Amino acid sequence: MKKHLSRVLPLYVLLLLFTIFATSDATVRRRDYTIPTTNLELLKPLTPITRKEPQDVYLNLELSYTDLAPDGYTRKVWTANGQYPGPLIHCNRGDRLIINVTNNLKDPATIHWHGIFQLGSTWYDGVGGQTQCPIPAGVSFIYNYTVGEQVGTYWWHSHYLAQYVDGIRGPLIINNPDDPYLGQYDYEYVLTLEDWYHVESHNLVAMRLAQGYEAFNPIPDAGLISGRGQYNCSKAQSGAKCDSNNMPAIYTVTKGKKYRFRIINMSAEAFFFFSIDQHKLKVIEVDGVDIKEIELSVLPIHIGQRFSVIVEASQDSGSYWIRADIPKQCILNRNGTINNNSDIIHNSNITGILRYDDASNDTLPQSNKFNDDWYKKLSPCHDLDINLIKPYEAVAPPQKVTDQFNISIMIYGDSKHTTKAYINGQSWVPDLKNPSIMKIMDQNISATEFPINANAYMYDTEGGAVEIVIYNQNGGDHPFHLHGHNFFIIGMGSSGSPDASQYNLVDPPLRDTVTLPGDGWAVIRYLINNPGVWAFHCHIEWHVELGMVFQLIEMQSKLQQLKMPPSVEALCQPGYQHTKRLAIPFPDDEGTTITPGGYVIPNSKGSTKRLAIPSPDDDNGTTITPGGYVIPNSKEGSTKVKRTTERNIKYTTKRNAWKW
Ligand SMILES: [Cu+2]
């Protein structure tokens, strides 16, 4: 019977194909897509911000569990405001973001603002074990910082264990009122790329770290574009709620118009080659820095990296594939690798659709992938050549170095056959109950006295410059992300070792995430101007869990003179986790409205009438005014205490200050 079937089946398939084509005039019929319940706002053009003046932006992020099916497979997603991807945060240069995070999960949580410098506000950087104690379950905490002079494309995500992989992540866009490319596009879109797992991250981490496990990182089940993807439900276990006809991300364009796409890779594991069939990408921004335009047909993007590209809707009206291909070489796999039966091994070409608004929505794109020199020039899992990225305003990197560090990266199994990642021989262990910031600012402990597994590297030369030479002694590629700064990439190589005479000290790219090639190296420099505790880590989340993290303690003596907001200290109080608190209403909540995205729209009196923002210890009566002052409670007296923020720390941030 089996033999008979195998002979007859191909005939049936042929007959079926013939029927489809014969009845559809050789066009491919639209699949009867199911509309997913994911966040739709990314598929709409950004509402332009027309004001020039900075404002206070109020936002509620409520973390909770929501059953969603981003790729058609329903699972418990860890969400902010019940949405996946999380709410889009859109603000202006200079705005103050006042974000009330209410943790209604059963686990602690933190939120990190990826790429934001936190100039003078390191305690709001959101790294558990480094810049704060995690927000306990049931507790609200307000992150309150300005984005300063930064503009461009960023994102936010949980920085507690591998929580962001379960869904707590979203875009953060800072509008530039003086955007040099403003006249060159008509609309803006945000587009996120994510790999997606059906198993919750804590289970995957447990398997990855299990004794005797010597294979690779968990293989994703699917890939998503702006939170949408497809999954072959025949692979799902029986009883799963699964729909193979999940609708992909569809971006609508009007012929003749130009679109700025802000592309963010928010993955745990995946590198992507991004492209749109028959539409060239004019790259104008890399990791928050405007660059001289480069025209590409395909864009390499590793985890944590961002690009803005201008796409002109200049082709024949129709539908075109948006492609996010994961090259096979970039998902390491061998026998025994977690989830190595995943469909993504066979189909790692993730797709969305670019559709002209006058095109029929009845047909699937029939466009073909670019087949030009760019694919030959680019190597899988590696960054865009650093020699191609030229900042819009060329800025010279520091010519002299005051503090130099050599860092080597390794991954290997220890004597107990447990795989760990090592930074100069040490695997990072977070001290969640007493993070670095508390040790330094609260207990006056110098970073030189930190335990060796804190992986702390210290420099205290105000106005000096750091150089970090990172050697990758592992064969895999690692996208390293630095908090608190972006950096000049003055050299990079896939083999050999750095040669200082070859460094670009004239016009190197500025990024905050650099991919270390397997067995290669990179050399970065940046100015010492932001006192804080800054994580530097591989953004492959599984490698973070293996310990591929170190922390840079910048200007400790300055840090010790600053005063941390009491609300941050309060998170570390023993027993704090037992205090059940509900969401903190913003003070003028009478008459305000909160949008589905969590934005607080002021009442008719206007935002200037807002009096005070209660901080999480408002039980004690402490308040923070919009001016950034902490008003202590009655027990501590009513004297206004000036809060230490960037407002009373002087920095030279002028661009020409980089010249030495
Ligand atoms: Cu890594």
Side-chain angles (χ1 to χ4, degrees):
M1 181 64 188
K2 262 188 184 168
K3 260 191 177 170
H4 172 75
L5 253 182
S6 66
R7 257 183 282 133
V8 176
L9 252 179
L11 280 176
Y12 281 125
V13 172
L14 268 178
L15 192 70
L16 191 72
L17 279 173
F18 176 79
T19 316
I20 291 169
F21 279 90
T23 54
S24 64
D25 290 336
T27 60
V28 182
R29 280 253 167 109
R30 175 173 64 104
R31 287 159 75 180
D32 209 5
Y33 286 128
T34 311
I35 297 171
T37 50
T38 49
N39 186 355
L40 293 166
E41 66 184 338
L42 297 192
L43 304 178
K44 298 174 194 151
L46 274 179
T47 307
I49 295 179
T50 49
R51 66 186 160 87
K52 286 230 167 195
E53 289 308 306
Q55 262 185 12
D56 292 347
V57 175
Y58 292 80
L59 185 71
N60 278 298
L61 289 181
E62 191 205 337
L63 312 182
S64 65
Y65 308 110
T66 314
D67 282 346
L68 293 173
D71 62 343
Y73 177 97
T74 302
R75 60 157 279 185
K76 180 173 105 184
V77 179
W78 299 42
T79 54
N81 299 353
Q83 296 173 323
Y84 185 78
L88 164 73
I89 300 176
H90 189 202
C91 68
N92 220 11
R93 184 184 65 197
D95 280 359
R96 174 171 288 274
L97 298 180
I98 301 150
I99 302 172
N100 179 20
V101 176
T102 298
N103 181 5
N104 284 335
L105 304 168
K106 292 191 174 101
D107 281 5
T110 66
I111 302 290
H112 166 63
W113 320 91
H114 183 112
I116 304 297
F117 296 158
Q118 298 293 357
L119 200 60
S121 52
T122 182
W123 40 79
Y124 289 129
D125 196 44
V127 182
Q130 293 191 8
T131 62
Q132 69 168 96
C133 288
I135 308 165
V139 166
S140 289
F141 176 76
I142 296 177
Y143 291 89
N144 178 350
Y145 57 89
T146 83
V147 298
E149 290 301 302
Q150 289 190 268
V151 294
T153 308
Y154 304 88
W155 58 300
W156 56 268
H157 60 84
S158 167
H159 217 297
Y160 178 74
L161 301 179
Q163 226 165 47
Y164 87 79
V165 181
D166 293 309
I168 301 177
R169 52 187 168 191
L172 195 173
I173 308 299
I174 309 173
N175 179 61
N176 180 3
D178 303 310
D179 179 5
Y181 287 105
L182 193 60
Q184 298 192 33
Y185 54 87
D186 301 290
Y187 299 98
E188 284 182 70
Y189 274 125
V190 177
L191 186 150
T192 61
L193 305 173
E194 313 110 81
D195 48 23
W196 189 246
Y197 294 83
H198 293 167
V199 173
E200 283 178 279
S201 67
H202 55 90
N203 291 323
L204 297 172
V205 169
M207 288 188 258
R208 182 69 176 94
L209 290 170
Q211 219 173 22
Y213 181 76
E214 285 170 344
F216 297 112
N217 293 330
I219 293 171
D221 290 289
L224 310 176
I225 293 179
S226 300
R228 309 286 191 89
Q230 280 81 42
Y231 182 68
N232 175 0
C233 291
S234 68
K235 290 261 184 179
Q237 79 277 25
S238 64
K241 200 173 157 196
C242 189
D243 182 340
S244 295
N245 287 323
N246 200 46
M247 186 184 265
I250 300 175
Y251 284 89
T252 308
V253 295
T254 301
K255 193 172 165 67
K257 298 290 183 193
K258 291 176 180 166
Y259 296 81
R260 176 183 189 153
F261 279 84
R262 296 174 177 272
I263 304 161
I264 309 166
N265 185 348
M266 311 196 297
S267 297
E269 164 79 1
F271 164 100
F272 294 97
F273 273 141
F274 177 87
S275 63
I276 305 175
D277 291 353
Q278 294 179 41
H279 293 76
K280 286 277 174 74
L281 312 172
K282 199 185 282 179
V283 187
I284 57 167
E285 179 218 337
V286 177
D287 293 0
V289 176
D290 294 324
I291 62 157
K292 290 177 182 144
E293 60 181 60
I294 321 168
E295 197 175 71
L296 306 171
S297 54
V298 57
L299 186 68
I301 180 165
H302 219 317
I303 308 168
Q305 299 183 328
R306 294 90 62 204
F307 290 93
S308 278
V309 300
I310 296 176
V311 174
E312 188 175 357
S314 59
Q315 300 300 304
D316 291 342
S317 178
S319 293
Y320 299 85
W321 290 119
I322 297 173
R323 298 177 191 271
D325 296 343
I326 310 175
K328 297 245 187 297
Q329 304 93 310
C330 308
I331 301 184
L332 298 176
N333 184 19
R334 72 160 173 248
N335 258 355
T337 301
I338 301 158
N339 201 28
N340 74 348
N341 191 32
S342 167
D343 212 33
I344 215 165
I345 296 295
H346 310 291
N347 179 18
S348 56
N349 302 326
I350 317 307
T351 48
I353 297 173
L354 183 83
R355 175 174 291 152
Y356 284 61
D357 54 8
D358 55 352
S360 158
N361 63 0
D362 253 0
T363 53
L364 283 176
Q366 295 175 74
S367 56
N368 294 314
K369 193 151 98 173
F370 273 108
N371 181 21
D372 61 14
D373 284 352
W374 277 108
Y375 274 99
K376 291 172 206 148
K377 279 187 216 166
L378 299 170
S379 42
C381 347
H382 287 181
D383 282 351
L384 191 60
D385 187 340
I386 54 170
N387 297 309
L388 290 173
I389 302 172
K390 300 290 175 201
Y392 190 83
E393 287 177 48
V395 180
Q399 304 289 307
K400 290 176 193 155
V401 170
T402 56
D403 296 83
Q404 209 250 8
F405 302 95
N406 292 309
I407 299 290
S408 87
I409 311 296
M410 292 180 114
I411 301 179
Y412 55 85
D414 64 13
S415 55
K416 292 174 188 161
H417 299 281
T418 303
T419 304
K420 283 185 185 161
Y422 298 88
I423 304 283
N424 288 348
Q426 280 297 329
S427 194
W428 180 63
V429 178
D431 188 347
L432 292 167
K433 288 191 175 142
N434 193 15
S436 308
I437 192 113
M438 289 294 283
K439 290 191 178 91
I440 294 166
M441 297 185 70
D442 209 56
Q443 297 138 39
N444 230 12
I445 299 171
S446 168
T448 52
E449 294 161 45
F450 284 8
I452 194 157
N453 62 16
N455 281 353
Y457 294 81
M458 198 180 123
Y459 48 89
D460 209 345
T461 323
E462 187 170 359
V466 173
E467 178 179 279
I468 304 178
V469 185
I470 322 175
Y471 298 91
N472 184 1
Q473 297 189 278
N474 172 264
D477 310 286
H478 302 281
F480 262 77
H481 170 56
L482 174 63
H483 294 213
H485 289 274
N486 53 14
F487 46 77
F488 295 95
I489 308 170
I490 60 171
M492 188 194 259
S494 301
S495 59
S497 49
D499 172 0
S501 71
Q502 300 297 310
Y503 291 166
N504 178 354
L505 295 176
V506 180
D507 60 351
L510 262 171
R511 299 196 75 160
D512 58 41
T513 309
V514 60
T515 305
L516 284 181
D519 298 314
W521 51 271
V523 185
I524 66 160
R525 284 187 187 178
Y526 59 91
L527 282 181
I528 301 170
N529 58 10
N530 190 7
V533 173
W534 306 120
F536 201 179
H537 63 94
C538 175
H539 220 298
I540 293 177
E541 184 53 32
W542 315 117
H543 292 167
V544 170
E545 299 308 319
L546 295 182
M548 200 182 279
V549 178
F550 60 113
Q551 50 184 325
L552 295 152
I553 313 298
E554 180 164 338
M555 291 159 73
Q556 176 176 278
S557 50
K558 191 102 188 176
L559 207 49
Q560 281 166 334
Q561 293 163 20
L562 303 180
K563 179 87 182 80
M564 205 190 307
S567 57
V568 183
E569 286 177 313
L571 289 174
C572 299
Q573 282 166 13
Y576 193 71
Q577 63 271 23
H578 301 304
T579 323
K580 274 271 173 193
R581 284 160 205 263
L582 298 171
I584 300 160
F586 288 110
D588 56 352
D589 61 340
E590 213 173 298
T592 58
T593 41
I594 298 177
T595 70
Y599 282 95
V600 179
I601 299 170
N603 59 25
S604 55
K605 290 171 194 161
S607 58
T608 52
K609 295 282 179 190
R610 194 175 287 116
L611 290 176
I613 310 147
S615 67
D617 53 355
D618 62 340
D619 279 2
N620 301 325
T622 306
T623 51
I624 303 172
T625 71
Y629 289 86
V630 174
I631 303 171
N633 60 44
S634 53
K635 288 169 204 160
E636 293 171 13
S638 59
T639 320
K640 286 182 184 176
V641 178
K642 196 168 190 188
R643 196 164 62 96
T644 43
T645 65
E646 65 294 336
R647 281 164 198 241
N648 55 8
I649 303 168
K650 283 258 157 58
Y651 295 102
T652 324
T653 51
K654 281 183 186 156
R655 292 194 171 93
N656 57 15
W658 297 92
K659 287 174 189 150
W660 281 58

